[in-house]
Amino acid sequence: MSKVIVKKEQCKQCGYCVKHCPKQAISFSADFNSSGFKYAVVDDSKCIACGMCYTTCPDGVFEIRKPD
Amino acid sequence: MGDMVKGNIAMAEAAIRAGMHMYAGYPITPSSEIMEYMSWRAQEAGRQYIQAESELGAMYMVYGAASVGSRVLTASSGLGISLKQEGVSYMQAADYPCVMISVCRYGDGLGSLQSGQTDYLRETRGGGNGDYRNIVLSPSSVQEAVDLVYLAFDLSEKYRNIVVILTEGALGQMMEDCEYPDYKEVPFYDWAFDGKHTNPQPSQMTMDLYERAQRRNALRAEITENEQRWEAVGVEDAEYVFFAYGIPGRIALGIVDDARKRGEKLGVVRAISLWPFPQKAFDAINKDVKGFVTIETADDGQMVEDVALFAKKKGFGDVPCYTITSPPGVPKTVDVLKKFEAIKAGEVKEVF
Amino acid sequence: MAVVKKVPEKIARQVPFCPGCGHGIVVRLIMECVEELGYNDNVIFGKPVGCASLLDNSLDIDIFTGAHGRNGASLTAIKRLKPDTLVISYQGDGDAYNIGFAETMNAAYRNEKFTVVTINNTNFGMTGGQMAWTTMPGQKTTTSVNGRDVELSGLPIKMPEMIATSFDTAYVARGALFTPAEINKTKGYIKKALQAQSDGIGHSMVEVLSPCPTNWHMSPLEAQERIIKELVPYYPLGELKNKGGK
Amino acid sequence: MLKEVVFAGFGGQGVLTAGLILSQVALFSGKKATWMPEYGAAMRGGTANCTVKYSDGRIFSPGQEAPDAIMALNIPSFNRFIKILKPGGIMLIDSDIVTCDTNVRDDVKVVGVPATTIVNELNNPRGLNIVMLGALVKLMGDYSEQEAIDGMNDMFSKKGKNAFEAANTEAFKRGYASV
């Protein structure tokens, strides 16, 4: 299970998460969500669940989880 | 036996008795005694009192206070009430109740310090942007002022509509005996904000305004049907019927009382509710009446417009409507009579 | 897997702002603090006129429909009548500093015990990017098309400084949103401001320098850069006043 | 029977209070009463005045129309209000203060009371209005001396000012006896 849940329909492609991710784990999708934005995609292999994406996101796209 | 009490003080005390939770205001002659009295009386009675930075601020305090379901009062005069109108309109948009006492001073702009009735149209037409009406009640005596303020909170809550007590500087400043009603304890209204999101309130930005308009129209019809108030004397066989409110209403009653003792057939409708206008009063009026005459402490006459409108609606469309206006202060009976004689002699042109 | 970071439940639906707008972040920070301080079921929010007036549909809390700039007065009454409720005035700079200057200042002057959070994005956002009192010298807006001329319209206003130095209030701070660290600091300011209210110490205010990519005609990332380079030197960040807790 | 009385003088002479006492005496005796001050810009012109009406029945106009009696405590008040006094009416003046020619209308009765002298004798300078009121009540003839004193004392007692009861009663009686 991934450490970050991405609500892709809420993403507005502002790019704050992409810029502030310390592991460069976030990129934009190739396709569009229903609002017409390329949405954030998290590379689980690079993600350390630090939550920077959550912190910088204005639109509540991210939910961070950690293994129990 | 009651004691002599100043109109302004009496209205303030009536609000306390009616369970008012908060007063917010800004002082202005000739309404200031209301605020001065509240400044100590509200605290003594365990209520909130705020001296606001401006009339505008005061009205927005009232708006906030109403949002949490409190009984709230403000009072001012002339231009002070004008400043409040933006907030009045906001409150009507939100269906929030409050009572606002307008102690009218004569004139536009700064106006004068003297008594007048020049703000009739503003109060009865709403006063701010949008399509709404305030319920407007106007007392003629200190006792009636007490009774109407006491009633106003209930009406305001019942219809979720602002109630304006429109009175004159002269009534605010005069003293008369009055008896106060009992204290009422009223909890905060349960439809309001409680911090728990029990009552989500629709945003004007997203609400269905047409649906709302229909609801408001129905409410307006209900108020018009239920809340007309007036005192009529001698209208059944009157050749002329006076229409007046407030102090001129008393003076008209006095003129008619005197005339009828002499056998002269005069009648009077003293309006107590100004909106809704007491149109039902026309139902009892002599069909052969020769004219309607308003007595107003104003430059040009304002109530005469309503009298003409409702005369037309009630089948008196051909009856001429006159107005007797008088300078600032309390009209002198003798001056009113002189002008009335001129009307009867055909020397004065009707307004409508 | 345990959830470690999740949008507060009171933000029930997505906020309706432009891509990269700071409103979404600040609203989230406020609601996080409300939740953490245990006020989820005892909070009244005063919304302004401006972009934030669109918030109603997103938050499942009581939201008072403030009139342009008048929240200072309205929330005064709400807080006095409901002293145990957390009362938060959420306003833009145009709302709180231009049209609402008198009400904002007078509420602070009276030391009314509620919290004001203002979004300073150096323009009137909702009405299409007109000049505000916070607009920077030379900044082009739709009412300063050649750039703001301070000879004609004065220097950008620093309301938090005025309040911090003039009145006996509890807490004043300024935060910004350009990095995760600054966002976290801003949350700290908001939390302290709300705590000051909760403790009944007095009036509290936090201004947040916030990006408005749409009206600045920039990308969201360029907007963050502008805050660092252009706004922070004029609008210093940090606590301007902290009377401390009980 | 409706009666109208105007009380006028300098601010501070207690004319508004004198009017209020009379209206309260009327209530005390089971009548209706109104008290209307002149306020606003006009009151800054040097004189304060109020109009009191009392009646067994409903009082219609509370305003100044044609007074049955006037209490004038200074010359400007005398000059202003003598003009509106009803024919046959009473103009009551403090003859120590209103020293001008008061013989200006032959259809009214002008009564002078040396009230300032009286209050000096009583060592009660603030009792001027009450001395005058005592005289006025007697001239009007609508209330007995005791009825009026009781009404007056009742009013001050309700305001928590019983301390002055004896002095007020004495001043009232001196005024009552002076005409």
Side-chain angles (χ1 to χ4, degrees), chain D residues 6-32:
Chain D
V6 169
F7 297 79
F10 289 125
Q13 284 181 312
V15 288
L16 302 186
T17 304
L20 178 59
I21 297 170
L22 183 65
S23 65
Q24 196 73 37
V25 166
L27 295 189
F28 194 76
S29 309
K31 294 185 194 296
K32 304 295 265 178

PDB file of all heavy atoms in Angstrom, chain D residues 6-32:
ATOM      1  N   VAL D   6     -46.268  76.685  30.867  1.00  0.00           N
ATOM      2  CA  VAL D   6     -44.895  76.735  30.355  1.00  0.00           C
ATOM      3  C   VAL D   6     -43.973  77.192  31.483  1.00  0.00           C
ATOM      4  O   VAL D   6     -44.294  78.133  32.222  1.00  0.00           O
ATOM      5  CB  VAL D   6     -44.788  77.694  29.144  1.00  0.00           C
ATOM      6  CG1 VAL D   6     -43.329  77.951  28.785  1.00  0.00           C
ATOM      7  CG2 VAL D   6     -45.551  77.119  27.957  1.00  0.00           C
ATOM      8  N   PHE D   7     -42.871  76.503  31.632  1.00  0.00           N
ATOM      9  CA  PHE D   7     -41.843  76.845  32.615  1.00  0.00           C
ATOM     10  C   PHE D   7     -40.610  77.290  31.852  1.00  0.00           C
ATOM     11  O   PHE D   7     -40.095  76.545  31.022  1.00  0.00           O
ATOM     12  CB  PHE D   7     -41.495  75.623  33.472  1.00  0.00           C
ATOM     13  CG  PHE D   7     -42.641  75.102  34.290  1.00  0.00           C
ATOM     14  CD1 PHE D   7     -43.627  74.312  33.708  1.00  0.00           C
ATOM     15  CD2 PHE D   7     -42.743  75.398  35.655  1.00  0.00           C
ATOM     16  CE1 PHE D   7     -44.684  73.828  34.462  1.00  0.00           C
ATOM     17  CE2 PHE D   7     -43.792  74.923  36.411  1.00  0.00           C
ATOM     18  CZ  PHE D   7     -44.773  74.145  35.817  1.00  0.00           C
ATOM     19  N   ALA D   8     -40.126  78.502  32.128  1.00  0.00           N
ATOM     20  CA  ALA D   8     -38.992  79.003  31.349  1.00  0.00           C
ATOM     21  C   ALA D   8     -38.030  79.793  32.217  1.00  0.00           C
ATOM     22  O   ALA D   8     -38.436  80.471  33.172  1.00  0.00           O
ATOM     23  CB  ALA D   8     -39.506  79.877  30.208  1.00  0.00           C
ATOM     24  N   GLY D   9     -36.763  79.678  31.876  1.00  0.00           N
ATOM     25  CA  GLY D   9     -35.752  80.428  32.622  1.00  0.00           C
ATOM     26  C   GLY D   9     -34.373  80.093  32.091  1.00  0.00           C
ATOM     27  O   GLY D   9     -34.235  79.469  31.034  1.00  0.00           O
ATOM     28  N   PHE D  10     -33.348  80.521  32.831  1.00  0.00           N
ATOM     29  CA  PHE D  10     -31.985  80.140  32.474  1.00  0.00           C
ATOM     30  C   PHE D  10     -31.793  78.650  32.783  1.00  0.00           C
ATOM     31  O   PHE D  10     -32.427  78.122  33.709  1.00  0.00           O
ATOM     32  CB  PHE D  10     -30.960  80.924  33.300  1.00  0.00           C
ATOM     33  CG  PHE D  10     -30.851  82.369  32.939  1.00  0.00           C
ATOM     34  CD1 PHE D  10     -31.015  83.355  33.910  1.00  0.00           C
ATOM     35  CD2 PHE D  10     -30.561  82.759  31.630  1.00  0.00           C
ATOM     36  CE1 PHE D  10     -30.902  84.696  33.580  1.00  0.00           C
ATOM     37  CE2 PHE D  10     -30.450  84.100  31.307  1.00  0.00           C
ATOM     38  CZ  PHE D  10     -30.616  85.069  32.277  1.00  0.00           C
ATOM     39  N   GLY D  11     -30.889  78.025  32.032  1.00  0.00           N
ATOM     40  CA  GLY D  11     -30.510  76.665  32.383  1.00  0.00           C
ATOM     41  C   GLY D  11     -29.924  76.671  33.781  1.00  0.00           C
ATOM     42  O   GLY D  11     -29.186  77.597  34.147  1.00  0.00           O
ATOM     43  N   GLY D  12     -30.296  75.710  34.610  1.00  0.00           N
ATOM     44  CA  GLY D  12     -29.746  75.664  35.970  1.00  0.00           C
ATOM     45  C   GLY D  12     -30.680  76.220  37.013  1.00  0.00           C
ATOM     46  O   GLY D  12     -30.469  76.031  38.212  1.00  0.00           O
ATOM     47  N   GLN D  13     -31.711  76.927  36.584  1.00  0.00           N
ATOM     48  CA  GLN D  13     -32.672  77.468  37.560  1.00  0.00           C
ATOM     49  C   GLN D  13     -33.706  76.440  37.999  1.00  0.00           C
ATOM     50  O   GLN D  13     -34.490  76.697  38.907  1.00  0.00           O
ATOM     51  CB  GLN D  13     -33.401  78.688  36.973  1.00  0.00           C
ATOM     52  CG  GLN D  13     -32.552  79.950  36.951  1.00  0.00           C
ATOM     53  CD  GLN D  13     -33.334  81.123  36.382  1.00  0.00           C
ATOM     54  OE1 GLN D  13     -33.965  81.006  35.324  1.00  0.00           O
ATOM     55  NE2 GLN D  13     -33.294  82.253  37.064  1.00  0.00           N
ATOM     56  N   GLY D  14     -33.695  75.319  37.309  1.00  0.00           N
ATOM     57  CA  GLY D  14     -34.602  74.241  37.722  1.00  0.00           C
ATOM     58  C   GLY D  14     -35.985  74.333  37.124  1.00  0.00           C
ATOM     59  O   GLY D  14     -36.930  73.758  37.667  1.00  0.00           O
ATOM     60  N   VAL D  15     -36.096  75.027  35.981  1.00  0.00           N
ATOM     61  CA  VAL D  15     -37.444  75.148  35.404  1.00  0.00           C
ATOM     62  C   VAL D  15     -37.953  73.813  34.869  1.00  0.00           C
ATOM     63  O   VAL D  15     -39.148  73.513  34.960  1.00  0.00           O
ATOM     64  CB  VAL D  15     -37.511  76.222  34.289  1.00  0.00           C
ATOM     65  CG1 VAL D  15     -37.409  77.600  34.887  1.00  0.00           C
ATOM     66  CG2 VAL D  15     -36.474  76.002  33.210  1.00  0.00           C
ATOM     67  N   LEU D  16     -37.051  72.991  34.311  1.00  0.00           N
ATOM     68  CA  LEU D  16     -37.497  71.698  33.786  1.00  0.00           C
ATOM     69  C   LEU D  16     -37.972  70.811  34.931  1.00  0.00           C
ATOM     70  O   LEU D  16     -38.953  70.080  34.806  1.00  0.00           O
ATOM     71  CB  LEU D  16     -36.375  71.016  32.996  1.00  0.00           C
ATOM     72  CG  LEU D  16     -35.816  71.808  31.797  1.00  0.00           C
ATOM     73  CD1 LEU D  16     -34.812  70.958  31.017  1.00  0.00           C
ATOM     74  CD2 LEU D  16     -36.916  72.284  30.861  1.00  0.00           C
ATOM     75  N   THR D  17     -37.262  70.901  36.056  1.00  0.00           N
ATOM     76  CA  THR D  17     -37.658  70.111  37.225  1.00  0.00           C
ATOM     77  C   THR D  17     -38.991  70.603  37.778  1.00  0.00           C
ATOM     78  O   THR D  17     -39.854  69.806  38.165  1.00  0.00           O
ATOM     79  CB  THR D  17     -36.574  70.188  38.310  1.00  0.00           C
ATOM     80  OG1 THR D  17     -35.343  69.766  37.731  1.00  0.00           O
ATOM     81  CG2 THR D  17     -36.908  69.295  39.499  1.00  0.00           C
ATOM     82  N   ALA D  18     -39.168  71.922  37.818  1.00  0.00           N
ATOM     83  CA  ALA D  18     -40.438  72.465  38.315  1.00  0.00           C
ATOM     84  C   ALA D  18     -41.595  71.923  37.479  1.00  0.00           C
ATOM     85  O   ALA D  18     -42.635  71.518  38.008  1.00  0.00           O
ATOM     86  CB  ALA D  18     -40.408  73.993  38.268  1.00  0.00           C
ATOM     87  N   GLY D  19     -41.385  71.890  36.163  1.00  0.00           N
ATOM     88  CA  GLY D  19     -42.420  71.354  35.287  1.00  0.00           C
ATOM     89  C   GLY D  19     -42.666  69.892  35.546  1.00  0.00           C
ATOM     90  O   GLY D  19     -43.815  69.423  35.577  1.00  0.00           O
ATOM     91  N   LEU D  20     -41.568  69.181  35.757  1.00  0.00           N
ATOM     92  CA  LEU D  20     -41.709  67.751  36.008  1.00  0.00           C
ATOM     93  C   LEU D  20     -42.478  67.496  37.300  1.00  0.00           C
ATOM     94  O   LEU D  20     -43.340  66.613  37.357  1.00  0.00           O
ATOM     95  CB  LEU D  20     -40.314  67.101  36.071  1.00  0.00           C
ATOM     96  CG  LEU D  20     -40.300  65.613  36.369  1.00  0.00           C
ATOM     97  CD1 LEU D  20     -41.079  64.846  35.309  1.00  0.00           C
ATOM     98  CD2 LEU D  20     -38.854  65.100  36.436  1.00  0.00           C
ATOM     99  N   ILE D  21     -42.181  68.301  38.341  1.00  0.00           N
ATOM    100  CA  ILE D  21     -42.899  68.116  39.615  1.00  0.00           C
ATOM    101  C   ILE D  21     -44.397  68.330  39.396  1.00  0.00           C
ATOM    102  O   ILE D  21     -45.218  67.531  39.838  1.00  0.00           O
ATOM    103  CB  ILE D  21     -42.381  69.087  40.696  1.00  0.00           C
ATOM    104  CG1 ILE D  21     -40.909  68.808  41.011  1.00  0.00           C
ATOM    105  CG2 ILE D  21     -43.217  68.962  41.975  1.00  0.00           C
ATOM    106  CD1 ILE D  21     -40.246  69.874  41.881  1.00  0.00           C
ATOM    107  N   LEU D  22     -44.720  69.397  38.649  1.00  0.00           N
ATOM    108  CA  LEU D  22     -46.151  69.663  38.438  1.00  0.00           C
ATOM    109  C   LEU D  22     -46.813  68.488  37.701  1.00  0.00           C
ATOM    110  O   LEU D  22     -47.931  68.087  38.046  1.00  0.00           O
ATOM    111  CB  LEU D  22     -46.349  70.967  37.657  1.00  0.00           C
ATOM    112  CG  LEU D  22     -47.825  71.352  37.466  1.00  0.00           C
ATOM    113  CD1 LEU D  22     -48.488  71.670  38.808  1.00  0.00           C
ATOM    114  CD2 LEU D  22     -47.985  72.529  36.510  1.00  0.00           C
ATOM    115  N   SER D  23     -46.111  67.942  36.714  1.00  0.00           N
ATOM    116  CA  SER D  23     -46.714  66.827  35.968  1.00  0.00           C
ATOM    117  C   SER D  23     -46.858  65.606  36.868  1.00  0.00           C
ATOM    118  O   SER D  23     -47.842  64.865  36.787  1.00  0.00           O
ATOM    119  CB  SER D  23     -45.878  66.491  34.718  1.00  0.00           C
ATOM    120  OG  SER D  23     -44.602  66.013  35.077  1.00  0.00           O
ATOM    121  N   GLN D  24     -45.900  65.436  37.749  1.00  0.00           N
ATOM    122  CA  GLN D  24     -45.949  64.285  38.644  1.00  0.00           C
ATOM    123  C   GLN D  24     -47.053  64.472  39.700  1.00  0.00           C
ATOM    124  O   GLN D  24     -47.720  63.510  40.079  1.00  0.00           O
ATOM    125  CB  GLN D  24     -44.568  64.104  39.290  1.00  0.00           C
ATOM    126  CG  GLN D  24     -44.340  62.753  39.941  1.00  0.00           C
ATOM    127  CD  GLN D  24     -44.135  61.607  38.951  1.00  0.00           C
ATOM    128  OE1 GLN D  24     -43.526  61.782  37.912  1.00  0.00           O
ATOM    129  NE2 GLN D  24     -44.671  60.437  39.285  1.00  0.00           N
ATOM    130  N   VAL D  25     -47.247  65.717  40.127  1.00  0.00           N
ATOM    131  CA  VAL D  25     -48.358  66.013  41.048  1.00  0.00           C
ATOM    132  C   VAL D  25     -49.689  65.675  40.375  1.00  0.00           C
ATOM    133  O   VAL D  25     -50.591  65.103  40.995  1.00  0.00           O
ATOM    134  CB  VAL D  25     -48.314  67.503  41.476  1.00  0.00           C
ATOM    135  CG1 VAL D  25     -49.626  67.936  42.132  1.00  0.00           C
ATOM    136  CG2 VAL D  25     -47.137  67.748  42.424  1.00  0.00           C
ATOM    137  N   ALA D  26     -49.770  65.998  39.084  1.00  0.00           N
ATOM    138  CA  ALA D  26     -51.003  65.695  38.342  1.00  0.00           C
ATOM    139  C   ALA D  26     -51.272  64.199  38.348  1.00  0.00           C
ATOM    140  O   ALA D  26     -52.390  63.753  38.611  1.00  0.00           O
ATOM    141  CB  ALA D  26     -50.892  66.221  36.909  1.00  0.00           C
ATOM    142  N   LEU D  27     -50.230  63.406  38.055  1.00  0.00           N
ATOM    143  CA  LEU D  27     -50.397  61.948  38.066  1.00  0.00           C
ATOM    144  C   LEU D  27     -50.802  61.476  39.458  1.00  0.00           C
ATOM    145  O   LEU D  27     -51.678  60.624  39.616  1.00  0.00           O
ATOM    146  CB  LEU D  27     -49.097  61.235  37.681  1.00  0.00           C
ATOM    147  CG  LEU D  27     -48.530  61.418  36.281  1.00  0.00           C
ATOM    148  CD1 LEU D  27     -47.382  60.448  36.069  1.00  0.00           C
ATOM    149  CD2 LEU D  27     -49.587  61.223  35.218  1.00  0.00           C
ATOM    150  N   PHE D  28     -50.156  62.053  40.455  1.00  0.00           N
ATOM    151  CA  PHE D  28     -50.399  61.667  41.846  1.00  0.00           C
ATOM    152  C   PHE D  28     -51.862  61.918  42.215  1.00  0.00           C
ATOM    153  O   PHE D  28     -52.437  61.216  43.046  1.00  0.00           O
ATOM    154  CB  PHE D  28     -49.454  62.471  42.754  1.00  0.00           C
ATOM    155  CG  PHE D  28     -49.364  61.952  44.152  1.00  0.00           C
ATOM    156  CD1 PHE D  28     -48.626  60.806  44.444  1.00  0.00           C
ATOM    157  CD2 PHE D  28     -50.018  62.602  45.198  1.00  0.00           C
ATOM    158  CE1 PHE D  28     -48.537  60.324  45.743  1.00  0.00           C
ATOM    159  CE2 PHE D  28     -49.933  62.130  46.502  1.00  0.00           C
ATOM    160  CZ  PHE D  28     -49.185  60.980  46.765  1.00  0.00           C
ATOM    161  N   SER D  29     -52.449  62.923  41.561  1.00  0.00           N
ATOM    162  CA  SER D  29     -53.843  63.255  41.842  1.00  0.00           C
ATOM    163  C   SER D  29     -54.798  62.570  40.872  1.00  0.00           C
ATOM    164  O   SER D  29     -55.967  62.957  40.773  1.00  0.00           O
ATOM    165  CB  SER D  29     -54.043  64.776  41.743  1.00  0.00           C
ATOM    166  OG  SER D  29     -53.082  65.428  42.527  1.00  0.00           O
ATOM    167  N   GLY D  30     -54.294  61.605  40.130  1.00  0.00           N
ATOM    168  CA  GLY D  30     -55.166  60.807  39.279  1.00  0.00           C
ATOM    169  C   GLY D  30     -55.427  61.398  37.909  1.00  0.00           C
ATOM    170  O   GLY D  30     -56.302  60.935  37.184  1.00  0.00           O
ATOM    171  N   LYS D  31     -54.677  62.433  37.536  1.00  0.00           N
ATOM    172  CA  LYS D  31     -54.866  63.013  36.200  1.00  0.00           C
ATOM    173  C   LYS D  31     -53.850  62.445  35.219  1.00  0.00           C
ATOM    174  O   LYS D  31     -52.940  61.699  35.590  1.00  0.00           O
ATOM    175  CB  LYS D  31     -54.699  64.540  36.286  1.00  0.00           C
ATOM    176  CG  LYS D  31     -55.766  65.264  37.088  1.00  0.00           C
ATOM    177  CD  LYS D  31     -55.527  66.766  36.983  1.00  0.00           C
ATOM    178  CE  LYS D  31     -56.307  67.568  38.012  1.00  0.00           C
ATOM    179  NZ  LYS D  31     -57.760  67.502  37.872  1.00  0.00           N
ATOM    180  N   LYS D  32     -53.993  62.811  33.955  1.00  0.00           N
ATOM    181  CA  LYS D  32     -52.990  62.514  32.941  1.00  0.00           C
ATOM    182  C   LYS D  32     -52.093  63.734  32.800  1.00  0.00           C
ATOM    183  O   LYS D  32     -52.511  64.867  33.093  1.00  0.00           O
ATOM    184  CB  LYS D  32     -53.646  62.225  31.586  1.00  0.00           C
ATOM    185  CG  LYS D  32     -54.669  61.119  31.603  1.00  0.00           C
ATOM    186  CD  LYS D  32     -54.052  59.806  31.923  1.00  0.00           C
ATOM    187  CE  LYS D  32     -53.684  59.010  30.680  1.00  0.00           C
ATOM    188  NZ  LYS D  32     -53.040  57.735  31.065  1.00  0.00           N
TER     189      LYS D  32
END
